[in-house]
Amino acid sequence: MKVQLYRIAHGRSGDKGNTVNVGVIALRPEFYPFLLDHLTTDRVRRHFGDLVKGDVERFELPNLNALNFLLHEALGGGGTVSLMTDAQGKTFSTAMLRMEVDLPNDLAALVKER
Amino acid sequence: MSNRDTIRIASGQGFWGDRLQAPVEQVRRGPIDYLMLDYLAEVTMSIMQKQRSRDPAQGYARDFVPLMGEILEDCVEKDIRVVANAGGVNADGCAEAVLTEARRAGLMGSAKVGVVSGDDIMDRLEELVESGHELRNMETGAPLSDVLSKIQSANAYIGARPIVDALNRGAHVVITGRSTDTALTYAPMMHAFGWALDDWDRIAAGVVAGHINECGAQASGGNSIVAWKDVPDLADVGYPIIEAHSDGTFIVTKHDGTGGLINRAVVAEQILYEMGDPREYITPDVVADFTTIHLDDAGPDRVRVHGVKGRKATDMLKVSISYSAGYKAVGTLVYAWPDCIEKARMADRILRERLDRMGATFDEVRTELVGWNSTHGHLAGEPPADLPEIELRVAVRSTDKAAVEAFTREIAPLILTGPPSVTGFAGGRPRVQDIVAYWPALIDRTQIEPHLRVEVREA
């Protein structure tokens, strides 16, 4: 079943200078291995395309069923220099949760409406 | 140092501009032992520096002074200690203003105010650079000498030790400049529990507690994508309270009867906020490993945090430097159906062409269509057919102030000289803003720590 990441994960994003951090947390522990397999740095880089000019780094937090991504050079200079409405990267987490993924049937059965 | 096993540290302010009533309610709606208030963001120091250059008595979070006037008597009576980085670039001036409030409240001889100074290295910068400290930008690698003539403020991020010192000496209120946000929460733990300075695991647990507390209600149901539809009574949201134990474990909770929501998912979101490499969350006092955090639901609006590991702090301290980096302005207009996006795009083209013909040059011109693509960019897909309205938002940046001023004069004329069904221009010309940019760097801690001073003054 094809779903948006929003149906199986939540998260929060913020800024460090010109870098955005996007934390992605599995809504259920069962979804975490799927996130580990599918949210590769390549996949995330392709998803954001030209919204991210620099590298994408990924860190694992299995204790929270979470992944943390650093998207470098994504805020038009960052802080006060940036001309973006979202100069602090607050909405990058929901931009991430737009991503469409193909869930296997056993996990699809666990998905709830949001 | 007391011999208690549990202390309650309340979060009262997540940034300068947060709800003024929040700290008052933390003091009055239930038991707490400490109140922490975080006023400083990356750019706040430069704003305060600007205020101080206009008036030497200013340069701190002004909101903090009337707040103390309101709650200090309660705090002294209930033995609630206040820790705040409200001092900005003038902790001394802030402390004097608070002492005046204390006297006005009749607290002569009973209220003590601690002041931490020495984080401000503005006057030492040239000497530091000349003696070989390059203070390279942590993001770009450029040496500070590139912008030395444009610097507005420079402060080292300092840790908990001076705050602990002030608390040990009986201060009811501790005012700091650029102490780290997290230290405001774990310094009370180090003071109350007498933790050793190399008790890395417990101090690291304190850092996690500080990270949860430092953004106010963002840890108790505010701004939560997982919970926002279900959070009860956000209008009366209770800010987080850390119930800390001497063994380094703690509970995240809030006052009974307040709104908001605290559960594992909500707390996990806050833990991930502004996270870098979770294995090394670097502070002046310890390097905390956020991959060791364990969260358990422990009843309604109670989350237990345990298992946190830490290791020895690094030899470097982070420095927050701000410098002038030109000018910017933002202009907006609203276009209505039909064909609102096409109209907004045409207006954008006309505006750019006019500025071009005037010879105005910019480092960047950015156009966003608010209502379609300003937050998610291309991920928003094609705009919905027959969109009822759109806001055109154009922003420019330049080192040439005249160019930015020219831009601000070309927005309103678009109403009568561009595409139709346009409105939303009531506020006059856009304001030209000075850009004060942020320059993060590292410095050897031996250059800072001998300069730190702690004073405790009586009202």
Side-chain angles (χ1 to χ4, degrees):
Chain A
M1 182 175 77
K2 280 202 188 327
V3 295
Q4 283 186 304
L5 207 48
Y6 177 64
R7 302 283 295 280
I8 62 167
H10 64 114
R12 180 165 287 170
S13 55
D15 66 321
K16 275 266 182 289
N18 200 14
T19 297
V20 182
N21 99 288
V22 180
V24 178
I25 309 164
L27 280 170
R28 301 174 62 110
E30 296 91 325
F31 296 144
Y32 183 60
F34 180 85
L35 297 181
L36 272 177
D37 285 350
H38 289 80
L39 291 189
T40 59
T41 52
D42 276 351
R43 180 77 205 273
V44 170
R45 190 181 291 116
R46 270 187 282 129
H47 176 70
F48 281 103
D50 64 4
L51 296 177
V52 178
K53 309 276 190 282
D55 282 347
V56 172
E57 287 184 274
R58 183 179 101 156
F59 301 97
E60 298 172 12
L61 292 99
N63 52 324
L64 302 177
N65 296 314
L67 294 169
N68 186 42
F69 293 91
L70 295 183
L71 316 178
H72 296 282
E73 296 172 56
L75 289 175
T80 51
V81 175
S82 175
L83 299 181
M84 295 164 66
T85 291
D86 189 15
Q88 270 78 40
K90 304 270 188 192
T91 63
F92 274 69
S93 55
T94 51
M96 174 80 98
L97 296 179
R98 279 179 173 278
M99 187 191 293
E100 200 167 76
V101 292
D102 200 356
L103 276 187
N105 289 339
D106 57 325
L107 293 182
L110 299 172
V111 171
K112 289 193 190 132
E113 283 304 319
R114 281 189 82 186
Chain B
M1 167 188 160
S2 62
N3 291 316
R4 302 175 55 184
D5 180 60
T6 304
I7 56 171
R8 286 165 63 91
I9 306 155
S11 164
Q13 200 81 166
F15 65 103
W16 191 17
D18 202 357
R19 293 198 69 218
L20 293 172
Q21 196 56 25
V24 179
E25 302 201 349
Q26 288 290 49
V27 168
R28 297 201 176 140
R29 290 177 72 170
I32 61 170
D33 302 296
Y34 296 86
L35 176 67
M36 62 73 66
L37 303 118
D38 175 24
Y39 286 98
L40 303 180
E42 287 177 353
V43 296
T44 319
M45 300 302 274
S46 59
I47 297 168
M48 291 173 165
Q49 187 67 48
K50 210 181 274 178
Q51 292 172 347
R52 193 187 183 179
S53 65
R54 284 197 293 263
D55 175 359
Q58 296 296 325
Y60 55 83
R62 277 175 296 200
D63 292 347
F64 182 67
V65 177
L67 171 68
M68 284 300 101
E70 188 170 355
I71 64 173
L72 189 54
E73 197 175 349
D74 272 9
C75 291
V76 170
E77 194 178 300
K78 297 177 181 169
D79 195 23
I80 297 168
R81 312 279 202 97
V82 179
V83 184
N85 56 13
V89 297
N90 188 6
D92 198 67
C94 183
E96 283 308 312
V98 168
L99 284 163
T100 303
E101 285 290 336
R103 287 171 201 128
R104 200 173 290 157
L107 297 169
M108 274 83 75
S110 60
K112 289 184 190 168
V113 175
V115 194
V116 177
S117 58
D119 58 299
D120 191 336
I121 56 167
M122 180 77 178
D123 295 338
R124 297 173 53 205
L125 268 189
E126 252 172 75
E127 168 208 325
L128 285 166
V129 170
E130 271 168 26
S131 64
H133 299 275
E134 292 185 297
L135 296 166
R136 286 182 179 272
N137 188 310
M138 289 167 73
E139 284 201 316
T140 66
L144 188 69
S145 51
D146 287 2
V147 296
L148 201 54
S149 61
K150 299 174 190 163
I151 287 172
Q152 303 283 326
S153 70
N155 298 75
Y157 284 85
I158 58 174
R161 293 182 193 186
I163 302 172
V164 175
D165 185 18
L167 291 170
N168 287 348
R169 286 159 61 184
H172 298 92
V173 182
V174 183
I175 296 168
T176 74
R178 184 61 276 193
S179 55
T180 58
D181 308 346
T182 51
L184 306 173
T185 293
Y186 66 82
M189 301 179 192
M190 295 174 72
H191 157 71
F193 303 138
W195 289 343
L197 297 176
D198 62 353
D199 197 339
W200 310 122
D201 291 347
R202 288 182 204 188
I203 300 172
V207 169
V208 175
H211 185 86
I212 291 168
N213 248 357
E214 76 185 31
C215 294
Q218 203 168 234
S220 54
N223 192 25
S224 170
I225 189 74
V226 73
W228 70 277
K229 289 177 184 170
D230 306 315
V231 179
D233 199 9
L234 266 178
D236 185 37
V237 63
Y239 278 42
I241 294 170
I242 301 294
E243 219 171 77
H245 302 292
S246 56
D247 64 3
T249 63
F250 62 91
I251 301 262
V252 187
T253 186
K254 62 188 184 66
H255 281 320
D256 290 343
T258 58
L261 179 69
I262 294 176
N263 61 29
R264 282 184 65 198
V266 164
V267 172
E269 281 184 7
Q270 174 53 20
I271 287 173
L272 284 159
Y273 182 63
E274 290 184 347
M275 170 65 45
D277 180 345
R279 295 163 302 189
E280 37 186 61
Y281 187 105
I282 300 172
T283 77
D285 298 299
V286 69
V287 177
D289 181 350
F290 275 42
T291 68
T292 59
I293 299 170
H294 283 80
L295 303 180
D296 298 328
D297 281 312
D301 294 317
R302 289 176 74 80
V303 170
R304 182 166 176 267
V305 184
H306 59 100
V308 182
K309 299 284 181 203
R311 56 186 188 276
K312 189 179 187 298
T314 69
D315 294 332
M316 308 298 271
L317 293 181
K318 194 170 167 184
V319 180
S320 149
I321 299 167
S322 67
Y323 66 102
S324 298
Y327 308 89
K328 68 176 179 180
V330 180
T332 60
L333 290 170
V334 174
Y335 289 87
W337 181 94
D339 303 321
C340 59
I341 290 201
E342 289 74 8
K343 290 171 191 162
R345 282 177 168 155
M346 182 191 278
D348 181 46
R349 281 196 303 274
I350 294 167
L351 172 66
R352 286 171 182 253
E353 204 173 315
R354 285 178 183 161
L355 291 166
D356 227 27
R357 288 184 190 182
M358 286 172 164
T361 58
F362 301 96
D363 296 323
E364 189 187 355
V365 180
R366 181 183 174 87
T367 302
E368 293 175 347
L369 297 178
V370 181
W372 170 36
N373 69 3
S374 73
T375 56
H376 289 181
H378 68 85
L379 293 168
E382 287 305 308
D386 222 22
L387 199 65
E389 65 194 32
I390 199 84
E391 181 183 80
L392 169 67
R393 177 187 186 275
V394 185
V396 299
R397 174 161 54 83
S398 180
T399 48
D400 177 10
K401 192 172 187 178
V404 178
E405 282 167 349
F407 164 81
T408 65
R409 289 191 293 264
E410 287 296 332
I411 303 297
L414 281 166
I415 295 173
L416 301 188
T417 64
S421 34
V422 54
T423 185
F425 193 83
R429 285 180 184 147
R431 194 167 55 87
V432 176
Q433 304 167 54
D434 294 340
I435 299 175
V436 180
Y438 179 65
W439 184 285
L442 293 173
I443 194 164
D444 196 306
R445 61 196 307 152
T446 58
Q447 293 297 322
I448 303 297
E449 283 171 342
H451 295 265
L452 295 180
R453 294 281 174 273
V454 179
E455 261 188 83
V456 177
R457 300 178 195 159
E458 259 188 50

